[in-house]
């Protein structure tokens, strides 16, 4: 009888303990969860931020110019004008730029579209340096004569900029450009054509620019 009572007492004690545990509130460590899809930069040991994996987009507008020459003809042609475009940057380092440019002087006007690939090799204290190379297509037209030329262009450039606002930067650029005449069969002036003029009209020379960039 005593053994049965002890067994029942032990069983009841176990049930009481289990019930007590069931009624005890769980201790939760409440905190503010990070929003899904939001990327947060964590400071690295060297004081710089970790690489941003999102693709950044920026647009630019600039004043630009070029001083071009031909290896076969003496003298230079200096043109000035405006350029605008959009840049996509990945990993804070690699970028692709789509641009359109218009330049002119007293004799010629030029319209060009181009695409460039760049590498941002410096980015510190809101300043950056970017080197780029690209390919483009340009149309040149004489103002006083019926001369129309087409060129495949190869631009090479260094851009230095500084973000004086979180999203707005001012920059300078210096580069070199090669223009290869695309009039492979002939170059026409009015009703007359010269089949041997294409190579003579290849151009190259320095380029320069200054502008404003806005980052989204």
């Amino acid at each position: 009888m005593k053994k049965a009572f002890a067994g029942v007492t032990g069983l009841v004690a176990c049930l009481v303990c289990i019930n007590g545990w069931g009624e005890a509130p769980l201790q939760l460590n409440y905190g503010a969860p990070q929003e899904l899809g939001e990327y947060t930069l964590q400071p690295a040991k060297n004081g710089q931020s970790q690489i941003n994996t999102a693709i950044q987009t920026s647009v630019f507008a600039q004043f630009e110019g070029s001083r071009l020459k031909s290896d076969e003809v003496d003298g230079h042609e200096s043109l000035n004008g405006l350029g605008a475009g959009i840049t996509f940057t990945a990993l804070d380092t690699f970028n692709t730029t789509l641009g359109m440019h218009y330049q002119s002087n007293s004799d010629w006007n030029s319209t060009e579209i181009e695409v460039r690939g760049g590498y941002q090799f410096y980015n510190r204290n809101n300043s950056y340096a970017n080197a780029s190379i690209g390919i483009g297509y340009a149309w040149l037209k004489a103002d006083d004569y019926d001369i129309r030329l087409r060129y495949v262009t190869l631009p090479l450039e260094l851009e230095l900029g500084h973000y004086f606002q979180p999203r707005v930067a001012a920059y300078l650029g210096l580069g070199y450009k090669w223009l290869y005449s695309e009039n492979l069969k002939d170059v026409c002036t009015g009703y007359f054509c010269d089949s041997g003029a294409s190579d003579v009209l290849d151009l190259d020379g320095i380029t320069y620019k200054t502008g404003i960039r806005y980052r989204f």
Side-chain angles (χ1 to χ4, degrees):
M1 186 68 178
K2 292 182 179 180
K3 292 182 178 180
F5 179 78
V8 172
T9 302
L11 178 61
V12 172
C14 290
L15 292 175
V16 170
C17 291
I18 293 174
N19 184 58
W21 292 340
E23 292 181 354
L26 294 176
Q27 298 296 323
L28 299 178
N29 185 14
Y30 293 96
Q34 182 177 334
E35 295 183 7
L36 293 177
E38 183 179 351
Y39 183 79
T40 304
L41 293 177
Q42 299 294 335
K45 293 182 179 179
N46 58 3
Q48 292 183 327
S49 298
Q50 291 182 354
I51 294 176
N52 190 351
T53 58
I55 295 179
Q56 298 177 350
T57 304
S58 63
V59 294
F60 63 88
Q62 62 191 32
F63 171 80
E64 61 186 30
S66 56
R67 182 173 170 81
L68 306 174
K69 63 181 180 64
S70 170
D71 293 336
E72 305 295 333
V73 179
D74 293 334
H76 294 77
E77 288 289 344
S78 296
L79 298 94
N80 297 290
L82 300 174
I86 185 169
T87 299
F88 304 97
T89 302
L91 303 177
D92 288 332
T93 302
F94 303 100
N95 50 78
T96 300
T97 297
L98 304 176
M100 187 168 185
H101 311 272
Y102 178 82
Q103 298 182 22
S104 63
N105 60 15
S106 59
D107 298 319
W108 297 89
N109 61 77
S110 168
T111 302
E112 181 182 3
I113 57 175
E114 66 175 17
V115 58
R116 299 190 185 197
Y119 177 71
Q120 189 168 285
F121 59 89
Y122 180 86
N123 186 5
R124 189 183 296 271
N125 298 327
N126 297 324
S127 298
Y128 69 89
N130 187 79
S132 64
I133 187 171
I135 188 170
Y137 198 84
W139 298 264
L140 270 74
K141 182 179 181 300
D143 291 335
D144 298 328
Y145 302 95
D146 187 16
I147 301 177
R148 295 174 298 276
L149 305 175
R150 303 184 303 273
Y151 287 93
V152 175
T153 65
L154 180 65
L156 181 67
E157 189 176 72
L158 175 65
E159 178 180 316
L160 305 176
H162 179 76
Y163 279 90
F164 57 90
Q165 293 289 336
R167 296 182 181 273
V168 183
Y171 62 84
L172 299 170
L174 184 65
Y176 203 89
K177 181 180 291 187
W178 294 265
L179 294 87
Y180 301 100
S181 177
E182 197 268 336
N183 300 62
L184 299 179
K185 293 183 178 180
D186 51 47
V187 175
C188 296
T189 305
Y191 297 100
F192 301 95
C193 298
D194 184 353
S195 60
S198 295
D199 293 339
V200 175
L201 294 175
D202 286 348
L203 302 171
D204 62 273
I206 62 171
T207 62
Y208 47 89
K209 66 180 184 181
T210 180
I212 296 293
R213 182 178 298 276
Y214 179 82
R215 180 173 58 190
F216 294 98

